[in-house]
Structure formats: structure tokens, C-alpha cells
Amino acid sequence: MEHSLSTTLSSSDAVAGTRVTASPRASRLRSGIVLATLLTCQLMIVLDITVMNVALPRIQSDLHFSATGLSWVMNSYSLVFGGLLLLGGRAGDLFGRRNLFIAGATLFTLASLAGGLAPTAGWLLAARVVQGIGGAMAGPNTLALLTTTFSDPKARMRVLALFSGMSSAGFAIGLIVGGLLTEWLSWRSVLFINVPFGLAVVVLALLYLPTAQRQSAHLDLPGAFTATTGVAALVYGFISAASDGWGSATTDIFLAAGAALIIAFLAIESRTAQPLLPLRLFADRNRAAAYANMFLTPMAGMSMFFFLTQFLQDVLGLSALATGFAFLPTAALMFTMIRLIPRLLPRFGPKPVTLVGAGSMVTGLILLTQLTTDSGYFPLLFIAMILIGCGLGLAVSPLNVIIMSNVEPHEAGAAGGALQTLQQTGASLGLAILVTVFGTATRSAGGSIQHALVSGMTTAFAAAAGIATLTFVVALTFRAVRPTTAGARRGQTPVTESSSG
């Protein structure tokens, strides 16, 4: 792998017009620095989605948020981040991914510093909006840079599996980090922690990240407007559904507007010579199925983090720190599966790997429907967390590889932006649906407050298991292939071959 990475980086420098005279050891060191820089940025962006959850009670107390206003600490970031991902990915294709990545990481870091210093609620919300803008600039270009920089098939599979691992396990790690920082320091530290890592990412990117050639093209402004406003309207509609219910006029208006704008966006893209989102990306059966599961899996998976955090704190009475560490089995199993993906995919192809992952996730969610007010952490909750961690690792990690493995270099940013947009929108929609299911079940349940709370959670887990079953059905559509000698000689992976026809 080290040889392939250094070879790839050398070729990338040649594209950029830079002569490489470094020794093999220096090239391997540089390849490791580039990989660490890109993965650290991705982890930083993903952590920010969950790391704030544990700190919300302290934030509400210090900055005097109302109960409804507090949700916007999370929603303001999600709304802007989800709405701008497609635009950020395509802008990187056209104006330079390295430039967009560095600018986005810089903006995210400065906004984190400003948020940590926030004296008022409005100041914090403004900082979160700017964080979302920076994340949308850096996120899809992180994935595109990984895909184009590490072009050797084996190296690409490894780094994409690691990227997927950072994206998936980051949710669990965020709860652990948030619990540690909130307990030991203050809620402001969950924002300040981004500053040293963000500075390191920017400096190392300036020094080591190879410059890719820009594409001679124009930005699809009508597509950019309809995509950005459409996704933002949908995300806001889902947020409104979670807080006000599906019968709310605000929910209906924004969901209808979002759907209309997305339809308009697709119509524009089908007629534009240089689209923001090339629809041919979905023509490949394996890639289309991977995109579908990238939408569905977060819909089901987010429920575990959201509801189990409440169960551990409100029912079992764990502290924020203990709650974070309770998710260690999930994070550990995710990382374990991620390490196995580069070996499993070439041997078995995407179909059996994702089927096993989806089945494991469904089983874990079904186990969570058996929770009661008397349930402890062991054995039911512990086993469910292991199954879900294994399931998410196997079900999600191959998707990045399938989607990005044979994308044309000039469309890598668009493909990455579409991937992360579907992931973000799926998570928002899933949470809105499951919170609504939870609220309805809680209101109709009798008994104590804790009994009603657990009843709502188990009903939501049942709905999540139903959504996870859909990921199993979609995984059945992947082509089942085996590696071929010819393919190996061409340097292709089984994923590439299975998705080419």
C-alpha cells in the first residue's frame, strides 16, 4: 500500500507540474501526511454533528436558550451544511478542490473559535451557520481529493474505507469526546477543540496537498440555486416535522417547496451540458443502489445515537461522560469492520458484505425494541450495540468505495457532494420520522414518565428496523461478482468491474 500511495502522489505532483525528487521514504511519509490531513478534516466535520449533543444542557443554561431555540444549535449547522454540499462539491471540481478544501477548513476553524467565545445565543447560532458553510466547502472536496490523489485501486479502496470509517464511527466518537470535554472542562471546549486540529489541517494542506488541475467549465447557477434551496427546504421541513409534527403548516409548506425545487433541479440537470450533478452517476446499477443505501442507512442508524443517549441518561441515570463511553462497543466494531473491508470487498464483492451488514443492523435494532425500564446495560444493550456497530461498519463502508471507485476524475467532487447530501438528508428525514413516531407512542402510553419514554423509544426502534430492512432489500440488487485475472492485470478492483456494466 505504501508503495502505491507514494506512486500515486508522485503522479499527482506531475499533473500539478511539480517535479518529485524525494526518496521513497519521503514519499511514503508525505502520502501518510496527506491521508492523515484529509481524514482529520473529515473526522472534525463529522464530530461536530454529535459532539454538541452532550453539551446542550450546559449551553442552554449559560446562554439562556429557550427550549425550542436550543434545537437550533444543531439545526442551524445541519440546515446550511446539508443545503450547500452539492454546490461545494461541484465548485471544487470547477475552481480547484485544494483551494475549496483549504478555504472550507479555514472557515470552519475560525467559526469554531468564534462559537467557543460566544457571549450570546445569537452569536453562537451565527457561528454554527458559518461552520456549516465551511463544512460544505471542505467535506465533499475531502472525498474527491482522496479519490483523485490515491488513484491506485488497492490504495483507493483502503483510503475510502478509512474515510467511511471516520464518517460512521465519528458519530459515536463525538458522544465520547463531548462527554469528556463537557464533564472535565466546559461546553465551550467542544468548539475550541476544533481550533488546533483545524490549524494543523490547513497548514499541512498548504504544505503537502497536491494541486489538481481545474476544469474549464462554468458553474450551473440555476442548478446550484434549485439544489441548494431545495435541499435546505427539505432539511428545514424535516426539522419542523420533528419539532411541530407532520400536520404543521410550516412542515407541509417547506416539504412541498423542497420537493418542487428538487424536481426542478433534476429537470435542469437533464438539460444542462455541464450539470451540477451529472445524472449519469446514477445510471450504473451498483452506484445507484449504493446511493440509495447511503440515504436509507443514516435514516435507521441515527435513531440509535439519538434515543440511546436519552435512555442511558434519563432511564439508567448515567452521566454525560459514562454515556459517551457506553458507545465504545459500537465505535470499536465499526473500526474493526473498516479494517476488514479492503480484504472483504475484493474477495466477495459488495453484495454479501452489505447484506451481512444490513442484516446485523436490523437484528440489533430489533433487540432494542425489547428494552424496558428495568433493562440494564448488560446484556441486551451491549449486544445490540455490538450488532449495530458491526452492521454499520459493513453496510456503510463499502458504499463510499462503490460510489467513488470508478468515477471520472472531473466528476469526483459532484459524486462526493451527492453522497454526502443524501447521507445528511437521510439522517434529517430519519430523525424527523422517528421523533414523530416516538412522540406519538409516548403520548399514547400509560404508566410512569419513564415507562412512556421507553415505550416511545422501542416503537421508534421498531420503525428504524423497518427502514433498515429496506437497506437489506436494496443490497440484494448489487451485482454479485468475483475478481477476474484480467481485471487484476488491468489494476481494477472487483467493485469497479461489477459496477461497470
Side-chain angles (χ1 to χ4, degrees):
M1 176 185 174
E2 288 180 344
H3 173 72
S4 61
L5 296 186
S6 60
T7 302
T8 303
L9 281 168
S10 299
S11 64
S12 299
D13 282 335
V15 170
T18 303
R19 180 178 295 276
V20 178
T21 58
S23 65
R25 174 178 289 184
S27 296
R28 288 194 296 270
L29 176 62
R30 186 179 178 205
S31 70
I33 292 173
V34 170
L35 179 60
T37 300
L38 294 173
L39 293 182
T40 298
C41 184
Q42 176 63 15
L43 181 61
M44 187 172 64
I45 292 171
V46 172
L47 281 178
D48 205 71
I49 298 173
T50 55
V51 75
M52 298 289 289
N53 273 308
V54 181
L56 288 178
R58 305 278 180 91
I59 293 173
Q60 183 176 20
S61 175
D62 282 3
L63 298 184
H64 309 294
F65 273 95
S66 65
T68 53
L70 185 65
S71 64
W72 282 102
V73 175
M74 305 301 298
N75 294 340
S76 57
Y77 178 84
S78 299
L79 186 65
V80 176
F81 181 63
L84 293 176
L85 277 168
L86 275 179
L87 182 58
R90 195 51 164 166
D93 286 342
L94 302 182
F95 305 124
R97 295 174 191 134
R98 181 177 181 271
N99 296 338
L100 264 288
F101 173 83
I102 292 172
T106 302
L107 196 61
F108 186 90
T109 302
L110 293 174
S112 298
L113 176 62
L117 296 171
T120 64
W123 181 305
L124 178 60
L125 293 181
R128 294 287 286 166
V129 168
V130 179
Q131 273 189 306
I133 296 172
M137 293 170 65
N141 289 293
T142 301
L143 185 54
L145 284 165
L146 281 173
T147 303
T148 55
T149 302
F150 299 95
S151 57
D152 177 82
K154 291 183 179 179
R156 178 182 288 183
M157 182 179 293
R158 289 181 183 275
V159 299
L160 287 176
L162 286 171
F163 175 89
S164 181
M166 289 295 185
S167 302
S168 301
F171 287 105
I173 295 171
L175 294 170
I176 298 170
V177 172
L180 283 169
L181 294 176
T182 303
E183 284 286 321
W184 291 352
L185 299 173
S186 76
W187 68 263
R188 296 180 186 275
S189 62
V190 302
L191 288 163
F192 286 145
I193 193 66
N194 290 329
V195 177
F197 288 104
L199 288 175
V201 165
V202 172
V203 170
L204 292 174
L206 286 168
L207 292 175
Y208 294 101
L209 200 60
T211 302
Q213 289 182 329
R214 299 184 185 183
Q215 306 297 321
S216 56
H218 71 277
L219 189 61
D220 172 22
L221 292 179
F225 174 79
T226 51
T228 300
T229 55
V231 172
L234 285 176
V235 173
Y236 184 81
F238 301 149
I239 291 168
S240 175
S243 59
D244 303 328
W246 293 97
S248 165
T250 302
T251 300
D252 294 341
I253 290 170
F254 275 91
L255 288 179
L261 286 164
I262 293 299
I263 291 171
F265 166 70
L266 294 175
I268 292 169
E269 299 307 278
S270 66
R271 294 174 172 81
T272 302
Q274 296 174 334
L276 186 71
L277 176 64
L279 297 183
R280 57 183 169 271
L281 291 173
F282 298 90
D284 177 89
R285 191 172 90 184
N286 271 15
R287 189 184 294 117
Y291 272 128
N293 268 359
M294 190 59 79
F295 178 75
L296 291 168
T297 304
M299 287 182 69
M302 280 297 291
S303 67
M304 185 197 72
F305 298 108
F306 183 79
F307 292 112
L308 283 187
T309 300
Q310 296 180 58
F311 181 84
L312 291 168
Q313 292 184 333
D314 298 337
V315 179
L316 296 188
L318 300 184
S319 66
L321 181 60
T323 297
F325 277 104
F327 285 94
L328 268 179
T330 301
L333 263 293
M334 282 183 180
F335 279 121
T336 300
M337 294 304 105
I338 289 153
R339 295 288 295 176
L340 294 176
I341 287 296
R343 298 180 181 181
L344 296 176
L345 273 183
R347 182 171 183 179
F348 300 107
K351 187 171 185 176
V353 175
T354 50
L355 282 173
V356 171
S360 179
M361 187 167 58
V362 171
T363 305
L365 288 168
I366 290 174
L367 276 181
L368 291 179
T369 64
Q370 305 305 306
L371 288 174
T372 68
T373 54
D374 298 322
S375 298
Y377 185 73
F378 295 100
L380 190 147
L381 198 53
F382 178 73
I383 294 172
M385 283 190 164
I386 287 177
L387 287 169
I388 293 174
C390 177
L392 287 173
L394 290 176
V396 176
S397 296
L399 302 182
N400 284 300
V401 181
I402 296 166
I403 291 169
M404 302 299 296
S405 61
N406 63 345
V407 171
E408 293 295 328
H410 66 278
E411 293 179 342
L419 183 156
Q420 293 181 322
T421 298
L422 287 169
Q423 186 177 37
Q424 180 71 16
T425 308
S428 298
L429 175 58
L431 195 55
I433 292 172
L434 296 174
V435 166
T436 304
V437 169
F438 165 78
T440 302
T442 300
R443 287 190 294 270
S444 61
S448 65
I449 294 176
Q450 280 200 343
H451 179 270
L453 188 67
V454 174
S455 177
M457 289 178 184
T458 54
T459 305
F461 286 133
I467 297 171
T469 302
L470 293 178
T471 69
F472 187 90
V473 173
V474 171
L476 289 171
T477 67
F478 284 124
R479 290 187 177 92
V481 296
R482 291 297 181 92
T484 63
T485 304
R489 286 197 298 266
R490 290 195 302 270
Q492 293 178 325
T493 67
V495 175
T496 304
E497 293 215 327
S498 67
S499 61
S500 62

